[in-house]
Structures are given as C-alpha cells and as structure tokens.
Amino acid sequence: MEKEWYDRAAAIRTAILQLRDSLDCAAKETRIEAIDAEMAAPSFWDSQEAAQLIVSERKSLDSIVKPLSEALASSDDLDAMLEMAEDDETFAAEVPAEVVRLEAIIEQLKLQALLNGTHDAAGAILTINARDGGTDANDWAEMLLRMYMQWAQKNDYGVELVDRQDNEEAGINNATITIRGPMAYGYLRGETGMHRLVRISPFNSEGKRQTSFAAVDVSPEISDSVAIEIDEEDVREDTFRASGAGGQHVNKTSSAIRLTHIPTNIVVQCQNERSQHKNRATAWKMLRARMARVEEEKREAEDAIKYQQQAKSGFGSQIRNYFLHPDQRVKDARTKFQMGNFHTVLDGDIQGFLDSVLRWRAGHPVEEDDE
C-alpha cells in the first residue's frame, strides 16, 4: 500500500479522537446512562411532556455519541485492513473506498460539532407569518409551512401544530409548529428571517410576475427546568375567539390566548386547543422560548462586537430567495448556497441550506458572486 493511505487513515483516527474530546463524549455517555436509568422507572411517563423532553434529550445525545463510536470502530477496522493489505490484494483494493467513506463521515461529524449553542439540542418552535404580497403571500406562507413539516418528517422528527390562522381566500395568515428531534433548534435557528418568492401569480388573471414575502421566526423549546426571568406584570393577556377548524365550539368561547411582552413588544398566541387553560400554558411556553432567543441574540451581538464581526442573526432580514420565474432556483442570500430544483426544496430538501448556514455562522468563508 502507498504511504498516502496510511497517512489518511492516521488523520482520520486523530480527527475522531479530537472530536470525541471537543464534544465531551464521555460526559454525554454518562448522561445517556443516567437517562436510561430514569426511563426505566415506573413513574417516568406520569408527566408526558417532561418525559418527551427527556427522550428528545437522549436522542440528541445519541445522535453525537453513536456516530463517533461507530466511526472509531470503523477506524480500528481500517487499521486492520491496512495491515492485511500488505499480503492480500483483495484488502488493498478495498482501502481507498473505505478511507473516502470515513473522511466523508468525519466532515459530517465536524458539521455536527458546530451545533454547540446553548439551546441547539432543544426542539424548535417555528412561526411563519405572511407579509407583503397579498393572497400570494398567504399562499407562500402555507407552502413554507409544508416545506418545514416535510423536512421534519424526512428526518423522523416529531411535528406538532400549535397555532394556525387560515386566510379567507387562500393559504394562511400565520402558523406555529413545534419540531422535536436531535438538534432541531440548532439546525433550524438560521431559518429566522424573510423568505422571498418570485413566480407567475396563480391568483392574477393577467398572469403577471408576483413577488411575495413570508417571515419565519424560530425559537428554542425551553424546558421548565431552565430559568427564564419574565415579570408577569410586563405581560398583557388577551382572550379572543378561536378561528379555523373545531366546529361550533370555536365561535362560542374565547378560548384563544394572546400574550404581549410589553418591554420587548413580543407577541405570541395559541388557539389550537379547545381549553383556554391549555392555550394559556402553550402561549407562556412560546413566550419563554422567544425570550430565551432574545437573550441568545444579545450574547451573539456582544460576541460580534468583541471580535469586530457583523452580527449574523436578526429577525426581518431577507435571507433566501425562491424563484419559479424566469428560471427555477433557490438561493441563500448569506451563504450563496443554491439549488436548481424549486419543487425539491419545497418538498423538504433543505438540509444543504441548513448545513451551509451552520458553516457560515461558524465563520467559514463563502463564495462571492456577481449578482
């Protein structure tokens, strides 16, 4: 075997061991053992919500520990393969493909290592609001809602509809979903911002090109054990009648809840449950999540000033353009990453965008273009 393959195999093993240290896999393995013991207790499922959060935490930990353990075992197998390749050409022929495979795994694990934010392992509370563009914007907001739900399903993540307000003509005015799975918030947090669609409007009889906007906001699903300080006197609560599916009940009771945090003007609402009590509990959960993200953004802004960098977050900024006319493509305005199949992206194939934003947030350079 050529020396190159021994060197690359050694580099793979070194990278795996460094990742295990930097990701503190030993502590994660200890935590997994503690969770397994907790889950074995007869009373574990007495509180469904608390139990689901713990199960989600275990999945997030396992999504890091398991691939690294498997990669380390594969590295051992590669070393054995290299040793046997000295005497057997069959093994020698298999070495290059195995090295390339493990190097690809290492790159993916390095990407996962970027998911090191305070709340990256948490579930994601994702809200979509139709903005400029009339009925097209309402339709566009619903298309985005479907896109994120499709992404979640492709990745075996759980999705729960928290709130949805349909538009009378088409699409939605707004909707909120909770997505739970390994590193859900870590992957989705970069989706916060304005999403712009350019297409021939299906709602325009003259067939004119229409530009429409929808705003996406992503916050971490915060466990009750995490301290988030909110003065109840700073929060105004409004009740109103729910709209949408639900039969006659929705028109007879003011079960929907809207909370406004006066100092920050953050507004959340929930009307999905028939019970006002449940809607109130969910609305407070959403408010805690938004406040947690505000604190996170403050820390990011302080770090950006410290290192004389431009802050890489902010609700309201246009982050991605989706084109159906004159040509099909989807392009991220920050990372320059793009895909040429609009419908594939809208069917939930957005992982390339999520990965590119992770690298961009970590300070990796992006290719500039002439557009």
Side-chain angles (χ1 to χ4, degrees), residues 240-254:
F240 59 99
R241 291 182 179 180
S243 61
Q248 294 182 350
H249 167 86
V250 297
N251 298 317
K252 289 184 176 181
T253 63
S254 297

Side-chain angles (χ1 to χ4, degrees), residues 112-127:
Q112 277 192 293
L114 300 177
L115 295 166
N116 57 5
T118 306
H119 304 298
D120 279 359
I125 299 176
L126 188 147
T127 299

